[in-house]
Amino acid sequence: MLAELKLLVPAPGTLPAAAKRVGNILGTTKSVAKMNIHIKRVYEVSSPDDGMRILIDRLWPRGMTREKAHIDLWLKEVAPSTELRKWFNHDPEKWLEFKRRYLKELRRQPEAMKHLVEVIGTRRATLLFGAKEERFNDAVALREFIQANGK
């Protein structure tokens, strides 16, 4: 099934020219200025408005079937490390330090970040997360990182 999910992802270099500029931190020369990135809990009902649905958690969501999740791509490589995820435990008091550490991890994953940006291009995409906490989670931090570093 995972192989089938990857078939839905366009091949690198096949995206529109408007999607071909992202800041150096993301490891590519493409721009994310026009990227339409949303976030949503994977347990919420999927919608055509979600666009491409990308799961960014390292673990598959508990109790969720592949059919119900409607995931186009599972990109574990951009998820926080297990150690960081466990340390953070969605504690709002640790949020700023979590983001700092997570963004440091993302900078060590330039190929995964480049792939994510290329996959999204200029289309609408929704980063999916499994946490109950909707304000302090990896999807919020990841979207913020992409938007802050793409000029």
Side-chain angles (χ1 to χ4, degrees):
M1 182 64 146
L2 196 50
E4 292 173 22
L5 293 176
K6 290 186 178 185
L7 293 176
L8 298 173
V9 178
T14 61
L15 298 173
K20 302 229 176 191
R21 293 182 299 282
V22 169
N24 291 333
I25 288 179
L26 297 180
T28 181
T29 57
K30 300 180 193 250
S31 172
V32 296
K34 296 183 179 183
M35 292 179 85
N36 193 357
I37 303 172
H38 300 268
I39 57 174
K40 187 175 190 177
R41 214 168 161 243
V42 71
Y43 297 101
E44 293 179 38
V45 176
S46 66
S47 162
D49 292 338
D50 292 342
M52 182 171 206
R53 291 172 53 89
I54 305 169
L55 179 62
I56 60 157
D57 286 349
R58 195 165 299 278
L59 303 173
W60 186 261
R62 186 174 286 162
M64 180 66 65
T65 64
R66 292 188 187 276
E67 293 76 28
K68 190 174 179 182
H70 298 282
I71 292 173
D72 297 307
L73 176 66
W74 183 10
L75 197 55
K76 299 178 207 178
E77 296 84 3
V78 298
S81 65
T82 300
E83 298 79 20
L84 181 57
R85 178 180 52 83
K86 288 181 177 181
W87 170 82
F88 175 48
N89 198 30
H90 302 285
D91 179 350
E93 291 185 17
K94 294 180 179 178
W95 175 241
L96 293 177
E97 182 60 19
F98 167 77
K99 283 198 321 182
R100 188 189 71 73
R101 292 180 188 188
Y102 179 39
L103 300 185
K104 187 176 179 181
E105 288 183 357
L106 289 173
R107 286 185 180 98
R108 288 190 222 132
Q109 296 290 338
E111 288 304 313
M113 290 302 299
K114 181 178 177 181
H115 178 68
L116 175 62
V117 170
E118 287 178 346
V119 163
I120 294 172
T122 56
R123 75 180 104 185
R124 183 178 181 98
T126 300
L127 302 177
L128 301 169
F129 64 95
K132 290 179 185 176
E133 174 54 63
E134 295 190 20
R135 295 175 300 156
F136 305 109
N137 65 64
D138 54 338
V140 172
L142 180 57
R143 179 178 64 178
E144 188 177 304
F145 176 74
I146 292 169
Q147 291 173 336
N149 289 293
K151 304 294 181 205

